[in-house]
Amino acid sequence: MSLADDLLQCVQAQSALLDEFIQTLEAESATLLDDPTNLALAEQTQRKNDYAERLGRLDQERARILGEMEQPDTAAGIDAACAVYPELRPAFDALFERADQASRLNQDNGQILHTYMEHNQRALDTLHSLVNQDLYDARGRLRRRP
């Protein structure tokens, strides 16, 4: 198998893994828009971390192959490899499209999660101020209720 074939196989594996990651992000979005539990959020985070690790290994593999082709793992290096092996271009275009989609979904989910956390923090702050107001006097002593 040639280096171009190895690179094509690696990029296709990245795209397939990104498709799975996108499905995970869409499921996370549905969970966040529903009534998320800590357990559900923890499971989603674990899945995302697993995908990030697997994608990272494929990134390293792609960089290694490009290096063997005497190209850097940059846009310019990818363009140079695609100029020599035009069959790589559709695979890279599909990869970049999936990566952009995953990035947008992840950012959207991050915004939803941030809003969810802010809401919870405001509720906790309100509860904390009500509890402190009712239980302690100005000197910090426990107030006796009648």
Side-chain angles (χ1 to χ4, degrees), residues 43-113:
E43 288 172 354
Q44 293 290 347
T45 299
Q46 181 57 45
R47 278 190 215 113
K48 286 172 53 174
N49 289 340
D50 178 57
Y51 279 110
E53 183 180 316
R54 292 165 57 196
L55 286 164
R57 285 194 302 264
L58 286 171
D59 279 345
Q60 290 173 348
E61 178 67 7
R62 186 189 67 229
R64 182 192 64 75
I65 297 167
L66 281 166
E68 287 184 28
M69 296 172 89
E70 299 183 2
Q71 297 299 332
D73 188 25
T74 62
I78 290 167
D79 287 343
C82 289
V84 176
Y85 304 99
E87 67 273 16
L88 294 173
R89 177 52 59 195
F92 272 105
D93 289 345
L95 175 65
F96 297 146
E97 182 181 314
R98 285 174 176 92
D100 286 343
Q101 182 182 2
S103 178
R104 283 190 310 274
L105 283 168
N106 199 40
Q107 286 176 350
D108 291 348
N109 289 354
Q111 283 294 92
I112 294 168
L113 186 57

Side-chain angles (χ1 to χ4, degrees), residues 8-9 14 23 32 34-35 39-40 45 51 65 68 81 95 97 100 118 122 125 128 132 134 137 140 145:
L8 180 60
Q9 188 176 38
Q14 284 183 292
Q23 290 175 358
L32 289 169
D34 197 15
D35 190 17
L39 179 61
T45 299
Y51 279 110
I65 297 167
E68 287 184 28
L95 175 65
E97 182 181 314
D100 286 343
E118 281 182 338
R122 281 193 305 271
D125 290 346
H128 181 72
N132 284 340
D134 291 340
D137 65 17
R145 295 191 181 206

